[in-house]
Amino acid sequence: MARVVVTGGAGFIGSHLCDALMAQGHEVICVDNLYTGSKRNFEAHRQNARFEFIRHDVTQPLMLEADEIYHLACPASPVHYQFNPVKTVKTNVIGTINMLGVAKRVRARLLLASTSEVYGDPLQHPQKEEYWGNVNPIGPRSCYDEGKRIAETLTVNYHLQHRLNTKIIRIFNTYGPRMLFNDGRVVSNFIVQALRGEDITLYGDGTQTRSFCYVSDMVSGIMAAMVKKDFYGPVNLGNPNELSIAELAELVLELTGSGSKLVFRKLPADDPTRRRPDCTLAEQELGWTPKVDLREGLKKTIADFEARLKGGEKCPK
Ligand code: NAD
Ligand code: UDP
């Protein structure tokens, strides 16, 4: 049993990670400021003595003892990370320095949750880890993608300079139960719109592509990266099954049986045209490949959204 800190542990991916760590018998400390996270997400563990929640903003220093730190704290949806972009930069820069500081003091392993956004609007396809990316440093996404790039820089230099055992993973679009209704990302938007019979909002002409990974696959990849000896990354984690956003809309309509109409809205600035991970490195180094296909994962996600809507969870417009 290890003592494991999960920053961002009340959020979408972080809470599924906490579930998996709890199931393995670890002591889990969830550190979260509840910006986009929710106490509902760790309700199942509240009475468990192995689980602890600390409401804390990672931009502030923190004293903790731990064997492993999964550093996920950062809003992931463009809507949420652009709401207060300066804060997003601080979370990525100061927050990452603070957590690396904890890791250095107690010699814990630290895994940084980076993102496919470090590749920007990629000029190479699919994206391999060696690709340096095509990022606009002053664009609306820069608080997040440049923030994550400096978080990677910090992490690799703590590894090289202080010989910390760090891991960098680059997460590609991930979806599943517990995404917020008002998350603003495409999977949750389309499911909520379809279930409520509202128009499905396609940004641009819907030909832009993404590759969606189900959250249980993502969690197993993240945990595989943490335990892999002498491996520091960066490594792509995602599902290489690429489809257009219009195709995703059609699939959500089919699986929900909804009669919602497709409507076209302006494409946000700097919206990447194509995105698909090259997962060769993850397969070779971690023995990891995603297992859940999109249809199966969407069905589970839709069932979760339906249950939460029926259960009266608020669904802000
Ligand atoms: P999320 O918004 O559901 O979770 C982020 C969590 O971090 C939330 O619980 C939030 O309250 C917390 N948080 C934000 N700022 C904080 C701060 N300053 N101090 C403490 N806690 C803070 O997002 P998610 O989808 O679960 O993403 C988790 C991580 O994975 C993020 O680092 C994100 O950048 C990365 N990621 C996610 C995706 C994806 O598709 N979901 C893709 C690429 C990278
Ligand atoms: N998108 C869309 N309709 C929506 C929300 C998003 O067409 O209601 C598009 C968005 O423009 C982007 C893709 O879906 O091309 C994925 O967007 P998301 O915000 O989920 O993630 P990211 O752009 O960070 O990959």
Side-chain angles (χ1 to χ4, degrees), residues 155-166:
T155 303
V156 79
N157 282 294
Y158 268 71
H159 167 64
L160 296 171
Q161 189 178 332
H162 298 302
R163 284 192 234 95
L164 262 194
N165 187 352
T166 60

Side-chain angles (χ1 to χ4, degrees), residues 39 75 105 121 205 280 302 307:
K39 289 183 187 172
R105 186 175 61 83
D121 191 357
D205 60 7
T280 313
I302 291 165

Side-chain angles (χ1 to χ4, degrees), residues 77-80 180-186 188-189 203:
S77 156
V79 175
H80 292 129
L180 291 175
F181 293 146
N182 67 342
D183 182 89
R185 280 176 283 186
V186 68
S188 44
N189 272 10
Y203 300 163

Side-chain angles (χ1 to χ4, degrees), residues 295-313:
R295 219 166 237 283
E296 191 189 331
L298 281 176
K299 280 187 192 162
K300 290 183 184 172
T301 310
I302 291 165
D304 169 74
F305 274 62
E306 270 177 327
R308 282 156 59 202
L309 282 169
K310 278 200 193 110
E313 188 179 316

Side-chain angles (χ1 to χ4, degrees), residues 135-146:
V135 174
N136 176 357
I138 55 166
R141 297 172 91 99
S142 60
C143 59
Y144 183 73
D145 49 34
E146 294 287 22

